[in-house]
Amino acid sequence: PWDPLQVEAVRARVTAAGIAAISLHAPFGGVLDLSEANPHHREGAVAAILTAAEALARVGGRIVVVHPTDVVR
């Protein structure tokens, strides 16, 4: 999970620098694979993406870049 204090620190730095957070690349790969057949693993990947999106929203961004997998099948 994203540490709320670190997220707040990022928000403060972005604001102080006079810039805007636009996007965030969600974590993916390994056990965070949206194409995983195991529903428990897939649910973990979805949860990680949603947590990243929530952190981005607190910083002021709106676009989350998501990749379904890093595995060639």
Side-chain angles (χ1 to χ4, degrees):
W2 296 60
D3 180 334
L5 294 176
Q6 290 178 330
V7 172
E8 177 55 29
V10 169
R11 189 205 59 73
R13 288 180 183 164
V14 166
T15 301
I19 59 176
I22 303 293
S23 65
L24 175 128
H25 193 288
F28 77 103
V31 297
L32 300 177
D33 189 333
L34 288 174
S35 71
E36 174 62 55
N38 182 317
H40 297 291
H41 292 174
R42 192 172 51 253
E43 289 169 10
V46 170
I49 292 167
L50 292 175
T51 300
E54 290 168 2
L56 176 63
R58 289 194 305 265
V59 174
R62 296 179 49 171
I63 300 169
V64 179
V65 178
V66 177
H67 296 283
T69 188
D70 63 342
V71 177
V72 176
R73 298 191 198 277

